Amino acid sequence: MSTDLVQKLQEKKILLESTAQRVREHLVEGHPLDQALLTVGGLTEEQYLSFLAEEFQVPYMDLEQYHPSKDFLSQFPARILLEQKILPLEEKNGSVLVATSNLFDTSGLDQLRLATGMDLDVALAPAADIERCIKRYLGVGADTVQSMVLQANENGVELLERALEGDIDLTDEAEGASIIRFVNQILTEAIELRATDVHFEPFEDELRVRYRIDGVLQEATIPPEVRRFQAAIVSRLKILSFLDIAEKRLPQDGRIKIRISGREIDVRVSVIPMLHGEAVVLRLLDQSSVLLGPEQLGLSKEDQESFDRILALPHGIILVTGPTGSGKTTTLYAALSQINDVERKIITIEDPIEYQLRGINQIQVSTKAGLTFARGLRSILRHDPDVILIGEIRDLETAEIAVQASLTGHLVFSTLHTNDAPGALTRLVDMGIEPYLVASSLEAAIAQRLARMICSDCREEVSHKDDLAALQKQFGGPLPETMYHGRGCRKCQGTGYLGRRGIFELMILTEEIRSLILEGVSAGVIRKTATKQGMKSLREDARRYLDQGKTTIEEVMRITKESL
């Protein structure tokens, strides 16, 4: 039959003669027809399935048009649907329409008939679409959860939270194959979706799992039965991160190092007791991420030139400010990678070490062992460094040592949690550093945010002619008449955004600004002076992405505020 189909594909000019011959050679070697066609590259899966649908008079389905309910899908074993990559769509006249990507392999349909006793009709759809819809409607790890429920029911164990804590050995539960598999499935999906954080949040009647993707939380679809196994899931995460599974009243922090699909991931684990159980947040740090250079950060041409001049300074402090997750560490690493050469000794002290930099000495903070930022920084100064990176200035002691290091001829990079660049100056004074020391040691402060970029696959024009004046007033400056947004597609998970780029507020300390620091003026006064001298606010810097059609006005307004 396969050779007959190849002949028909050739007759209909869907396949070239040379391609058809290579397909036949693969068939002789024993490869299935679909695999042979995709390997040779003669046509796409969609073209092949459309041809089969026409040839054998079966429907070819756009799965985006179907939204089967959870109650309907609960009639079918999740394990069979996932393993065989088949998806029941609807029931009509006593028969269930089932989507498959393999018309000639009926084993999955046979298993489904046997398990349900239902009559099945076949429809065709691409394998990737079927997998995505199964995950969307059934949830991550649906087959695993279903097997856990069946096993619990067979054992006659009612998995209530109190029963779990009092009557069942949580260590055994957490090391059960199904729990391990479910946790692995959650972590794998999070990595595939480019998530930076995974949140496990227990409520009275559900366990909610959310992923932070491009800085925004998105709820993961998981089976509702997972709530019954919440305590065992938390215990599994505690075991992986070497935490005390018996301690349920106090917060705990740990770390996991895993490898997923060849990628080394460092996972920071935080467990906090909540009203309905322990909540867990996982911070995912991809050790194999490609380190960005300064030119890929998203700096404007003017800011890039200023940034290069800052990096050429022999000594002083350069601070990068912004909230958690705004890309501060990435900016600092990009700076170090630019000045890293054999003539400079660079030492960092971090918590945690997010990227491993070749040729740079990196120290991991260990509070348990007594290695704090301040203590490590004192030791670093005895190692004759030229450049020092401090992961974060958290207290007065660290700030004082950083200032002394800069005054004794070292170039010091660090981060600080303030909302804007002028706020970094007053924050150091508030911590207890004398204004004259801040004025003499600080060279530049950079505030930054990460703006989501519009997905290139679903980008479309949107006109704001009617409300442009109101938007410009709210924005605080001129805006392009025509802007863009993302419609939402499969590639961007329906959000309309894919990836992020930096926006920056770069303030270089001039003599006038140093004088203002000595006078003890507010951050607002310093901002006005810096603006007169050419500093752009975060919102002003973001305007270039609007002009280029790379982001939306809504995204810029979300992550910035109008400068006063």
Side-chain angles (χ1 to χ4, degrees):
M1 181 188 286
S2 295
T3 52
D4 293 338
L5 289 174
V6 174
Q7 184 63 36
K8 287 181 180 179
L9 284 165
Q10 190 177 341
E11 289 170 2
K12 292 189 175 186
K13 301 192 182 304
I14 298 173
L15 279 183
L16 298 172
E17 185 178 346
S18 57
T19 307
Q21 184 55 41
R22 292 204 303 276
V23 171
R24 290 189 185 96
E25 290 170 3
H26 276 73
L27 292 174
V28 171
E29 293 172 5
H31 296 287
L33 177 60
D34 55 348
Q35 187 181 329
L37 287 166
L38 296 175
T39 302
V40 170
L43 70 168
T44 64
E45 185 183 20
E46 288 82 357
Q47 290 173 315
Y48 168 61
L49 292 177
S50 297
F51 164 76
L52 287 182
E54 184 181 341
E55 188 69 25
F56 291 96
Q57 297 299 299
V58 295
Y60 178 79
M61 315 303 295
D62 177 5
L63 297 186
E64 296 298 320
Q65 305 300 319
Y66 284 85
H67 304 283
S69 69
K70 288 183 179 178
D71 289 339
F72 171 69
L73 290 174
S74 66
Q75 303 174 72
F76 308 95
R79 179 186 57 80
I80 295 176
L81 302 187
L82 284 159
E83 285 179 1
Q84 302 297 330
K85 294 181 183 176
I86 55 178
L87 177 66
L89 299 175
E90 61 180 356
E91 186 175 2
K92 276 187 180 178
N93 304 322
S95 184
V96 177
L97 185 65
V98 180
T100 179
S101 62
N102 196 331
L103 186 62
F104 306 120
D105 183 0
T106 61
S107 60
L109 296 170
D110 292 339
Q111 286 183 47
L112 201 59
R113 278 194 195 93
L114 191 63
T116 63
M118 296 178 178
D119 291 330
L120 308 179
D121 291 330
V122 178
L124 289 172
D129 290 2
I130 292 172
E131 277 190 81
R132 184 173 55 253
C133 287
I134 289 173
K135 192 176 286 186
R136 183 195 306 163
Y137 297 127
L138 295 182
V140 185
D143 57 332
T144 305
V145 173
Q146 199 171 70
S147 67
M148 282 154 48
V149 172
L150 288 171
Q151 186 179 1
N153 292 339
E154 286 170 7
N155 294 339
V157 178
E158 187 180 0
L159 290 173
L160 299 176
E161 192 169 344
R162 288 180 184 173
L164 262 173
E165 290 179 359
D167 304 329
I168 296 175
D169 187 338
L170 277 181
T171 308
D172 292 342
E173 286 289 313
E175 291 180 346
S178 295
I179 290 292
I180 291 171
R181 191 160 65 247
F182 177 76
V183 171
N184 290 349
Q185 286 168 329
I186 289 286
L187 289 171
T188 301
E189 183 180 62
I191 297 299
E192 288 173 355
L193 294 176
R194 303 177 298 107
T196 54
D197 302 83
V198 182
H199 296 241
F200 294 85
E201 302 165 313
F203 295 98
E204 186 177 8
D205 56 353
E206 69 168 331
L207 175 67
R208 184 168 69 176
V209 178
R210 294 193 287 176
Y211 303 137
R212 189 175 293 281
I213 303 169
D214 289 336
V216 177
L217 283 170
Q218 298 180 22
E219 189 162 1
T221 306
I222 61 170
E225 296 86 0
V226 167
R227 179 65 181 96
R228 297 169 61 183
F229 306 94
Q230 182 258 338
I233 291 166
V234 172
S235 293
R236 174 61 189 165
L237 292 168
K238 285 182 176 180
I239 288 169
L240 287 172
S241 48
F242 302 100
L243 299 179
D244 182 359
I245 67 168
E247 178 56 75
K248 299 177 185 300
R249 298 166 298 172
L250 296 174
Q252 296 187 71
D253 294 314
R255 185 165 294 162
I256 309 170
K257 201 153 194 174
I258 55 175
R259 182 175 279 109
I260 297 177
S261 303
R263 295 162 66 183
E264 206 170 275
I265 310 295
D266 191 35
V267 184
R268 280 187 281 170
V269 182
S270 175
V271 183
I272 299 180
M274 300 286 181
L275 178 62
H276 297 291
E278 292 175 286
V280 183
V281 174
L282 309 178
R283 167 63 60 88
L284 308 178
L285 302 170
D286 191 346
Q287 298 290 335
S288 60
S289 292
V290 177
L291 183 61
L292 297 176
E295 62 282 352
Q296 281 93 43
L297 290 174
L299 287 159
S300 64
K301 186 179 178 183
E302 298 82 3
D303 284 349
Q304 181 66 60
E305 290 172 356
S306 300
F307 192 67
D308 290 341
R309 286 198 299 273
I310 292 167
L311 296 184
L313 294 171
H315 54 78
I317 298 176
I318 293 100
L319 290 178
V320 182
T321 76
T324 302
S326 59
K328 302 186 295 294
T329 305
T330 302
T331 298
L332 289 177
Y333 281 168
L336 292 188
S337 68
Q338 181 168 327
I339 62 175
N340 182 20
D341 56 38
V342 293
E343 295 176 356
R344 288 186 180 92
K345 177 156 184 174
I346 303 174
I347 305 179
T348 77
I349 179 160
E350 308 166 64
D351 184 24
I353 295 172
E354 296 187 22
Y355 298 95
Q356 294 178 24
L357 304 176
R358 186 177 180 83
I360 291 177
N361 302 277
Q362 294 175 272
I363 301 169
Q364 169 70 57
V365 166
S366 176
T367 310
K368 287 182 181 178
L371 179 55
T372 61
F373 277 113
R375 188 170 180 179
L377 198 47
R378 285 196 190 92
S379 300
I380 284 173
L381 293 174
R382 291 193 286 271
H383 269 244
D384 187 30
D386 298 294
V387 179
I388 300 168
L389 183 147
I390 307 166
E392 183 185 344
I393 294 178
R394 296 178 179 173
D395 51 47
L396 174 60
E397 189 180 7
T398 306
E400 286 175 338
I401 301 169
V403 168
Q404 292 303 320
S406 70
L407 294 175
T408 52
H410 302 89
L411 188 59
V412 180
F413 293 90
S414 189
T415 68
L416 200 62
H417 283 288
T418 63
N419 288 324
D420 57 9
L425 282 60
T426 53
R427 174 81 180 104
L428 287 174
V429 174
D430 290 343
M431 289 175 76
I433 302 296
E434 292 292 337
Y436 77 91
L437 290 174
V438 175
S440 57
S441 62
L442 199 63
E443 294 293 342
I446 307 166
Q448 72 175 78
R449 301 290 188 277
L450 293 175
R452 292 183 293 172
M453 298 289 106
I454 299 170
C455 172
S456 57
D457 280 24
C458 61
R459 177 177 175 267
E460 61 183 19
E461 192 175 296
V462 56
S463 178
H464 287 288
K465 287 183 181 179
D466 297 335
D467 57 349
L468 187 62
L471 277 176
Q472 288 185 152
K473 185 178 180 182
Q474 189 180 359
F475 185 80
L479 291 169
E481 192 172 281
T482 300
M483 288 181 272
Y484 297 84
H485 77 156
R487 185 177 60 255
C489 64
R490 295 170 186 171
K491 187 176 180 182
C492 63
Q493 306 291 318
T495 62
Y497 298 97
L498 190 66
R500 293 185 290 176
R501 297 292 297 276
I503 58 171
F504 300 88
E505 182 177 84
L506 176 57
M507 185 182 75
I508 297 175
L509 269 73
T510 60
E511 289 306 315
E512 189 174 352
I513 292 175
R514 295 185 200 277
S515 298
L516 291 174
I517 296 171
L518 293 172
E519 292 171 17
V521 302
S522 68
V525 174
I526 294 172
R527 166 174 287 284
K528 287 177 182 176
T529 303
T531 302
K532 286 177 186 175
Q533 295 176 350
M535 182 187 81
K536 289 179 296 183
S537 70
L538 290 165
R539 186 168 286 188
E540 288 170 335
D541 190 49
R543 190 180 297 145
R544 59 197 165 96
Y545 290 127
L546 292 172
D547 294 337
Q548 297 163 8
K550 289 183 177 179
T551 193
T552 65
I553 181 69
E554 293 80 10
E555 176 66 6
V556 173
M557 303 280 265
R558 182 182 73 84
I559 62 172
T560 65
K561 67 176 183 178
E562 188 177 356
S563 301
L564 300 175

